[in-house]
PDB file of all heavy atoms in Angstrom:
ATOM      1  N   LEU B 249     123.675  81.598  57.172  1.00 88.00           N
ATOM      2  CA  LEU B 249     122.770  80.541  57.622  1.00 88.00           C
ATOM      3  C   LEU B 249     123.103  79.238  56.934  1.00 88.00           C
ATOM      4  O   LEU B 249     123.536  79.220  55.785  1.00 88.00           O
ATOM      5  CB  LEU B 249     121.327  80.905  57.264  1.00 88.00           C
ATOM      6  CG  LEU B 249     120.628  81.922  58.149  1.00 88.00           C
ATOM      7  CD1 LEU B 249     119.198  82.071  57.678  1.00 88.00           C
ATOM      8  CD2 LEU B 249     120.655  81.484  59.596  1.00 88.00           C
ATOM      9  N   SER B 250     122.890  78.139  57.668  1.00 87.00           N
ATOM     10  CA  SER B 250     123.067  76.832  57.035  1.00 87.00           C
ATOM     11  C   SER B 250     121.797  76.489  56.272  1.00 87.00           C
ATOM     12  O   SER B 250     120.760  77.136  56.436  1.00 87.00           O
ATOM     13  CB  SER B 250     123.323  75.783  58.103  1.00 87.00           C
ATOM     14  OG  SER B 250     122.088  75.396  58.676  1.00 87.00           O
ATOM     15  N   GLY B 251     121.863  75.449  55.468  1.00 85.00           N
ATOM     16  CA  GLY B 251     120.713  75.045  54.658  1.00 85.00           C
ATOM     17  C   GLY B 251     119.542  74.541  55.490  1.00 85.00           C
ATOM     18  O   GLY B 251     118.399  74.584  55.055  1.00 85.00           O
ATOM     19  N   SER B 252     119.832  74.101  56.725  1.00 88.00           N
ATOM     20  CA  SER B 252     118.755  73.516  57.534  1.00 88.00           C
ATOM     21  C   SER B 252     118.204  74.516  58.552  1.00 88.00           C
ATOM     22  O   SER B 252     117.647  74.131  59.564  1.00 88.00           O
ATOM     23  CB  SER B 252     119.269  72.273  58.259  1.00 88.00           C
ATOM     24  OG  SER B 252     120.382  72.620  59.065  1.00 88.00           O
ATOM     25  N   TRP B 253     118.326  75.801  58.248  1.00 90.00           N
ATOM     26  CA  TRP B 253     117.910  76.836  59.207  1.00 90.00           C
ATOM     27  C   TRP B 253     116.460  76.712  59.639  1.00 90.00           C
ATOM     28  O   TRP B 253     116.095  77.047  60.757  1.00 90.00           O
ATOM     29  CB  TRP B 253     118.145  78.233  58.625  1.00 90.00           C
ATOM     30  CG  TRP B 253     117.347  78.479  57.385  1.00 90.00           C
ATOM     31  CD1 TRP B 253     117.756  78.271  56.112  1.00 90.00           C
ATOM     32  CD2 TRP B 253     115.998  78.955  57.307  1.00 90.00           C
ATOM     33  NE1 TRP B 253     116.767  78.577  55.236  1.00 90.00           N
ATOM     34  CE2 TRP B 253     115.671  79.005  55.935  1.00 90.00           C
ATOM     35  CE3 TRP B 253     115.041  79.347  58.250  1.00 90.00           C
ATOM     36  CZ2 TRP B 253     114.411  79.424  55.494  1.00 90.00           C
ATOM     37  CZ3 TRP B 253     113.799  79.762  57.816  1.00 90.00           C
ATOM     38  CH2 TRP B 253     113.487  79.801  56.451  1.00 90.00           C
ATOM     39  N   TRP B 254     115.605  76.217  58.717  1.00 92.00           N
ATOM     40  CA  TRP B 254     114.171  76.145  59.041  1.00 92.00           C
ATOM     41  C   TRP B 254     113.872  75.195  60.183  1.00 92.00           C
ATOM     42  O   TRP B 254     112.814  75.246  60.796  1.00 92.00           O
ATOM     43  CB  TRP B 254     113.372  75.761  57.796  1.00 92.00           C
ATOM     44  CG  TRP B 254     113.911  74.530  57.122  1.00 92.00           C
ATOM     45  CD1 TRP B 254     114.896  74.466  56.180  1.00 92.00           C
ATOM     46  CD2 TRP B 254     113.529  73.187  57.389  1.00 92.00           C
ATOM     47  NE1 TRP B 254     115.153  73.165  55.840  1.00 92.00           N
ATOM     48  CE2 TRP B 254     114.322  72.361  56.566  1.00 92.00           C
ATOM     49  CE3 TRP B 254     112.589  72.607  58.244  1.00 92.00           C
ATOM     50  CZ2 TRP B 254     114.218  70.973  56.573  1.00 92.00           C
ATOM     51  CZ3 TRP B 254     112.470  71.228  58.253  1.00 92.00           C
ATOM     52  CH2 TRP B 254     113.286  70.412  57.416  1.00 92.00           C
ATOM     53  N   LEU B 255     114.836  74.310  60.504  1.00 93.00           N
ATOM     54  CA  LEU B 255     114.627  73.423  61.658  1.00 93.00           C
ATOM     55  C   LEU B 255     114.605  74.220  62.965  1.00 93.00           C
ATOM     56  O   LEU B 255     114.219  73.708  64.008  1.00 93.00           O
ATOM     57  CB  LEU B 255     115.729  72.371  61.715  1.00 93.00           C
ATOM     58  CG  LEU B 255     115.663  71.288  60.634  1.00 93.00           C
ATOM     59  CD1 LEU B 255     116.911  70.435  60.659  1.00 93.00           C
ATOM     60  CD2 LEU B 255     114.421  70.419  60.843  1.00 93.00           C
ATOM     61  N   ALA B 256     115.016  75.478  62.886  1.00 94.00           N
ATOM     62  CA  ALA B 256     114.976  76.319  64.087  1.00 94.00           C
ATOM     63  C   ALA B 256     113.537  76.639  64.482  1.00 94.00           C
ATOM     64  O   ALA B 256     113.269  76.941  65.651  1.00 94.00           O
ATOM     65  CB  ALA B 256     115.742  77.611  63.846  1.00 94.00           C
ATOM     66  N   LEU B 259     112.105  74.449  67.167  1.00 95.00           N
ATOM     67  CA  LEU B 259     112.844  74.739  68.409  1.00 95.00           C
ATOM     68  C   LEU B 259     112.354  76.023  69.050  1.00 95.00           C
ATOM     69  O   LEU B 259     112.199  76.114  70.264  1.00 95.00           O
ATOM     70  CB  LEU B 259     114.330  74.899  68.101  1.00 95.00           C
ATOM     71  CG  LEU B 259     115.233  73.707  68.346  1.00 95.00           C
ATOM     72  CD1 LEU B 259     116.671  74.123  68.119  1.00 95.00           C
ATOM     73  CD2 LEU B 259     115.051  73.181  69.761  1.00 95.00           C
ATOM     74  N   ASP B 326     122.100  75.119  72.028  1.00 91.00           N
ATOM     75  CA  ASP B 326     122.835  74.093  71.287  1.00 91.00           C
ATOM     76  C   ASP B 326     122.092  73.701  70.026  1.00 91.00           C
ATOM     77  O   ASP B 326     122.669  73.607  68.949  1.00 91.00           O
ATOM     78  CB  ASP B 326     123.037  72.843  72.169  1.00 91.00           C
ATOM     79  CG  ASP B 326     124.105  73.081  73.225  1.00 91.00           C
ATOM     80  OD1 ASP B 326     124.744  74.159  73.170  1.00 91.00           O
ATOM     81  OD2 ASP B 326     124.289  72.201  74.093  1.00 91.00           O
ATOM     82  N   GLY B 327     120.793  73.498  70.192  1.00 93.00           N
ATOM     83  CA  GLY B 327     119.981  73.097  69.045  1.00 93.00           C
ATOM     84  C   GLY B 327     119.978  74.171  67.973  1.00 93.00           C
ATOM     85  O   GLY B 327     120.143  73.887  66.781  1.00 93.00           O
ATOM     86  N   MET B 328     119.793  75.416  68.400  1.00 94.00           N
ATOM     87  CA  MET B 328     119.753  76.533  67.456  1.00 94.00           C
ATOM     88  C   MET B 328     121.075  76.653  66.707  1.00 94.00           C
ATOM     89  O   MET B 328     121.114  76.883  65.501  1.00 94.00           O
ATOM     90  CB  MET B 328     119.481  77.841  68.198  1.00 94.00           C
ATOM     91  CG  MET B 328     118.108  77.924  68.784  1.00 94.00           C
ATOM     92  SD  MET B 328     116.895  78.072  67.485  1.00 94.00           S
ATOM     93  CE  MET B 328     116.334  79.676  67.804  1.00 94.00           C
ATOM     94  N   LEU B 329     122.161  76.512  67.459  1.00 91.00           N
ATOM     95  CA  LEU B 329     123.500  76.611  66.871  1.00 91.00           C
ATOM     96  C   LEU B 329     123.671  75.518  65.811  1.00 91.00           C
ATOM     97  O   LEU B 329     124.128  75.761  64.696  1.00 91.00           O
ATOM     98  CB  LEU B 329     124.521  76.434  67.997  1.00 91.00           C
ATOM     99  CG  LEU B 329     125.925  76.960  67.794  1.00 91.00           C
ATOM    100  CD1 LEU B 329     125.889  78.443  67.509  1.00 91.00           C
ATOM    101  CD2 LEU B 329     126.753  76.686  69.056  1.00 91.00           C
ATOM    102  N   ASP B 330     123.243  74.303  66.168  1.00 91.00           N
ATOM    103  CA  ASP B 330     123.402  73.165  65.256  1.00 91.00           C
ATOM    104  C   ASP B 330     122.621  73.357  63.970  1.00 91.00           C
ATOM    105  O   ASP B 330     123.132  73.090  62.891  1.00 91.00           O
ATOM    106  CB  ASP B 330     122.957  71.869  65.958  1.00 91.00           C
ATOM    107  CG  ASP B 330     124.011  71.373  66.937  1.00 91.00           C
ATOM    108  OD1 ASP B 330     125.144  71.896  66.872  1.00 91.00           O
ATOM    109  OD2 ASP B 330     123.705  70.482  67.743  1.00 91.00           O
ATOM    110  N   VAL B 331     121.377  73.821  64.078  1.00 92.00           N
ATOM    111  CA  VAL B 331     120.572  73.877  62.854  1.00 92.00           C
ATOM    112  C   VAL B 331     120.748  75.198  62.105  1.00 92.00           C
ATOM    113  O   VAL B 331     120.663  75.230  60.887  1.00 92.00           O
ATOM    114  CB  VAL B 331     119.071  73.613  63.126  1.00 92.00           C
ATOM    115  CG1 VAL B 331     118.886  72.202  63.675  1.00 92.00           C
ATOM    116  CG2 VAL B 331     118.481  74.645  64.061  1.00 92.00           C
ATOM    117  N   LEU B 332     121.006  76.285  62.841  1.00 91.00           N
ATOM    118  CA  LEU B 332     121.097  77.576  62.153  1.00 91.00           C
ATOM    119  C   LEU B 332     122.439  77.741  61.430  1.00 91.00           C
ATOM    120  O   LEU B 332     122.480  78.232  60.319  1.00 91.00           O
ATOM    121  CB  LEU B 332     120.916  78.733  63.137  1.00 91.00           C
ATOM    122  CG  LEU B 332     119.493  79.169  63.468  1.00 91.00           C
ATOM    123  CD1 LEU B 332     119.522  80.358  64.406  1.00 91.00           C
ATOM    124  CD2 LEU B 332     118.703  79.517  62.210  1.00 91.00           C
ATOM    125  N   VAL B 333     123.530  77.384  62.099  1.00 89.00           N
ATOM    126  CA  VAL B 333     124.823  77.668  61.482  1.00 89.00           C
ATOM    127  C   VAL B 333     125.698  76.444  61.239  1.00 89.00           C
ATOM    128  O   VAL B 333     126.524  76.452  60.349  1.00 89.00           O
ATOM    129  CB  VAL B 333     125.625  78.716  62.300  1.00 89.00           C
ATOM    130  CG1 VAL B 333     124.864  80.022  62.360  1.00 89.00           C
ATOM    131  CG2 VAL B 333     125.925  78.211  63.683  1.00 89.00           C
ATOM    132  N   ARG B 334     125.530  75.393  62.035  1.00 88.00           N
ATOM    133  CA  ARG B 334     126.409  74.243  61.841  1.00 88.00           C
ATOM    134  C   ARG B 334     125.902  73.310  60.753  1.00 88.00           C
ATOM    135  O   ARG B 334     126.581  72.378  60.371  1.00 88.00           O
ATOM    136  CB  ARG B 334     126.576  73.471  63.150  1.00 88.00           C
ATOM    137  CG  ARG B 334     127.441  74.213  64.163  1.00 88.00           C
ATOM    138  CD  ARG B 334     128.187  73.230  65.064  1.00 88.00           C
ATOM    139  NE  ARG B 334     129.228  73.913  65.805  1.00 88.00           N
ATOM    140  CZ  ARG B 334     129.167  74.144  67.120  1.00 88.00           C
ATOM    141  NH1 ARG B 334     128.125  73.739  67.798  1.00 88.00           N
ATOM    142  NH2 ARG B 334     130.153  74.764  67.727  1.00 88.00           N
ATOM    143  N   GLY B 335     124.646  73.555  60.313  1.00 87.00           N
ATOM    144  CA  GLY B 335     124.128  72.777  59.201  1.00 87.00           C
ATOM    145  C   GLY B 335     123.790  71.343  59.544  1.00 87.00           C
ATOM    146  O   GLY B 335     123.725  70.478  58.685  1.00 87.00           O
ATOM    147  N   LYS B 336     123.548  71.062  60.835  1.00 89.00           N
ATOM    148  CA  LYS B 336     123.181  69.688  61.188  1.00 89.00           C
ATOM    149  C   LYS B 336     121.715  69.441  60.820  1.00 89.00           C
ATOM    150  O   LYS B 336     120.929  70.372  60.710  1.00 89.00           O
ATOM    151  CB  LYS B 336     123.396  69.452  62.678  1.00 89.00           C
ATOM    152  CG  LYS B 336     124.864  69.486  63.053  1.00 89.00           C
ATOM    153  CD  LYS B 336     125.095  68.810  64.372  1.00 89.00           C
ATOM    154  CE  LYS B 336     126.567  68.952  64.752  1.00 89.00           C
ATOM    155  NZ  LYS B 336     126.788  68.673  66.160  1.00 89.00           N
ATOM    156  N   GLY B 337     121.381  68.180  60.675  1.00 89.00           N
ATOM    157  CA  GLY B 337     120.035  67.812  60.233  1.00 89.00           C
ATOM    158  C   GLY B 337     119.069  67.662  61.385  1.00 89.00           C
ATOM    159  O   GLY B 337     119.338  68.081  62.519  1.00 89.00           O
ATOM    160  N   ILE B 338     117.943  67.024  61.101  1.00 91.00           N
ATOM    161  CA  ILE B 338     116.843  66.921  62.048  1.00 91.00           C
ATOM    162  C   ILE B 338     117.243  66.163  63.301  1.00 91.00           C
ATOM    163  O   ILE B 338     116.673  66.366  64.377  1.00 91.00           O
ATOM    164  CB  ILE B 338     115.624  66.271  61.349  1.00 91.00           C
ATOM    165  CG1 ILE B 338     114.334  66.569  62.121  1.00 91.00           C
ATOM    166  CG2 ILE B 338     115.825  64.762  61.181  1.00 91.00           C
ATOM    167  CD1 ILE B 338     113.125  66.548  61.243  1.00 91.00           C
ATOM    168  N   GLU B 339     118.273  65.277  63.187  1.00 93.00           N
ATOM    169  CA  GLU B 339     118.705  64.504  64.361  1.00 93.00           C
ATOM    170  C   GLU B 339     119.229  65.430  65.468  1.00 93.00           C
ATOM    171  O   GLU B 339     119.170  65.098  66.641  1.00 93.00           O
ATOM    172  CB  GLU B 339     119.759  63.459  63.963  1.00 93.00           C
ATOM    173  CG  GLU B 339     121.151  64.004  63.597  1.00 93.00           C
ATOM    174  CD  GLU B 339     121.202  64.643  62.215  1.00 93.00           C
ATOM    175  OE1 GLU B 339     120.215  64.521  61.463  1.00 93.00           O
ATOM    176  OE2 GLU B 339     122.235  65.280  61.886  1.00 93.00           O
ATOM    177  N   ALA B 340     119.672  66.635  65.080  1.00 91.00           N
ATOM    178  CA  ALA B 340     120.188  67.572  66.083  1.00 91.00           C
ATOM    179  C   ALA B 340     119.066  68.120  66.956  1.00 91.00           C
ATOM    180  O   ALA B 340     119.306  68.724  67.994  1.00 91.00           O
ATOM    181  CB  ALA B 340     120.926  68.719  65.406  1.00 91.00           C
ATOM    182  N   LEU B 341     117.812  67.923  66.531  1.00 93.00           N
ATOM    183  CA  LEU B 341     116.684  68.451  67.308  1.00 93.00           C
ATOM    184  C   LEU B 341     116.256  67.513  68.426  1.00 93.00           C
ATOM    185  O   LEU B 341     115.575  67.931  69.360  1.00 93.00           O
ATOM    186  CB  LEU B 341     115.475  68.676  66.391  1.00 93.00           C
ATOM    187  CG  LEU B 341     115.574  69.780  65.352  1.00 93.00           C
ATOM    188  CD1 LEU B 341     114.255  69.894  64.605  1.00 93.00           C
ATOM    189  CD2 LEU B 341     115.895  71.108  66.029  1.00 93.00           C
TER     190      LEU B 341
END
Side-chain angles (χ1 to χ4, degrees):
Chain B
L249 282 184
S250 81
S252 58
W253 62 267
W254 52 273
L255 289 171
L259 262 186
D326 285 354
M328 292 290 247
L329 201 58
D330 283 347
V331 297
L332 275 182
V333 299
R334 288 210 167 109
K336 293 199 184 163
I338 199 153
E339 72 284 351
L341 292 183

